[in-house]
Amino acid sequence: MTFSTSQQIVLASGNTGKIKEIQAILAKHPIIPQSAFNVAEAEETGSTFVENAIIKARNAALHCKLPAIADDSGLVVDALNGAPGVISARYAGVGASDQDNVRKLLQALEGVPDKQRSARFICVIVFMEHAADPFPLIAQGVWEGRILTHPIGENGFGYDPVFWVPEHNCASAELTSAVKNSLSHRGQALKILTALIKAREL
Ligand code: IMP
């Protein structure tokens, strides 16, 4: 199988923000959400971000018969031995809201001093040329910070209100989306993946 500069790519996500962000960077490749093919979401059974990203990309490539991109991301907190990790979206239970997850995180860290509240957002993005691709392209982005004791800011989503960004002396939820994208785990991983994909194009 060959991969050309104008080849369509399916994205294993229906998130319109992610689609726009990826389409803007990979301008020559039409990016199609897997929902356009009625693909059922794959079960994220992996215990690492990279395993889950591969599971999702393989599922999309298999059902859409196209090259596929999938990402998996989350928050890793040192004092919690890496939790919430791959279950960041459902830390407080399946269907939990962002507020539920943040509340559970702050409770788990109650009494933990500032210096021991180090954490990082991780994003792994995977590209598979086809479902049996034995050599997926893998890009990882890491954004270092600290967990606050209470939420601040209105922007972003998920754990942004409790993620302290040392470079800007504020919470991630106080950054504009442009500034966040220039620093974030997702922005970094996307840049790396773009370079890897361009190197694989004919
Ligand atoms: P997913 O990559 O869409 O599966 O996201 C996993 C979960 O990690 C999200 O639901 C959020 O709780 C958390 N997360 C990932 N990236 C961010 C971010 O940039 N800000 C805040 N929370 C995030």
Side-chain angles (χ1 to χ4, degrees):
M1 194 160 179
T2 52
F3 183 65
S4 70
T5 48
S6 58
Q7 170 71 59
Q8 292 181 326
I9 299 176
V10 64
L11 180 67
S13 166
N15 182 317
T16 45
K18 281 185 191 171
I19 296 165
K20 270 197 201 155
E21 201 182 344
I22 293 176
Q23 184 66 82
I25 294 183
L26 291 173
K28 286 194 229 150
H29 296 280
I31 305 290
I32 309 166
Q34 69 175 16
S35 54
F37 297 87
N38 286 322
V39 176
E41 279 185 18
E43 212 186 321
E44 297 180 28
T45 51
S47 55
T48 59
F49 297 110
V50 68
E51 285 170 281
N52 283 337
I54 288 174
I55 287 170
K56 289 189 266 187
R58 188 182 290 130
N59 181 63
L62 183 67
H63 289 97
C64 305
K65 308 277 180 274
L66 283 173
I69 289 177
D71 75 332
D72 199 45
S73 62
L75 179 70
V76 168
V77 179
D78 292 324
L80 302 178
N81 207 19
V86 293
I87 62 154
S88 290
R90 53 183 196 282
Y91 185 42
V94 175
S97 67
D98 286 346
Q99 287 83 354
D100 294 336
N101 289 330
V102 164
R103 203 174 306 120
K104 178 164 176 181
L105 178 68
L106 293 182
Q107 276 166 6
L109 289 173
E110 228 166 65
V112 175
D114 245 21
K115 277 198 173 150
Q116 289 165 32
R117 299 175 79 95
S118 50
R120 61 208 55 82
F121 279 125
I122 307 288
C123 179
V124 177
I125 312 186
V126 161
F127 169 87
M128 294 184 81
E129 223 169 300
H130 52 84
D133 187 347
F135 183 41
L137 302 179
I138 300 172
Q140 311 205 55
V142 181
W143 192 20
E144 295 285 342
R146 224 170 47 228
I147 304 303
L148 291 161
T149 52
H150 57 275
I152 313 176
E154 306 294 328
N155 303 335
F157 69 100
Y159 300 93
D160 281 331
V162 288
F163 188 76
W164 180 252
V165 180
E167 304 95 312
H168 285 260
N169 263 310
C170 69
S172 172
E174 294 180 289
L175 297 174
T176 62
S177 62
V179 173
K180 182 181 167 191
N181 290 343
S182 73
L183 298 169
S184 79
H185 50 314
R186 195 167 294 101
Q188 293 177 44
L190 256 180
K191 255 189 233 152
I192 296 167
L193 189 80
T194 306
L196 293 174
I197 287 179
K198 289 198 168 144
R200 194 182 268 200
E201 282 169 353
L202 288 178

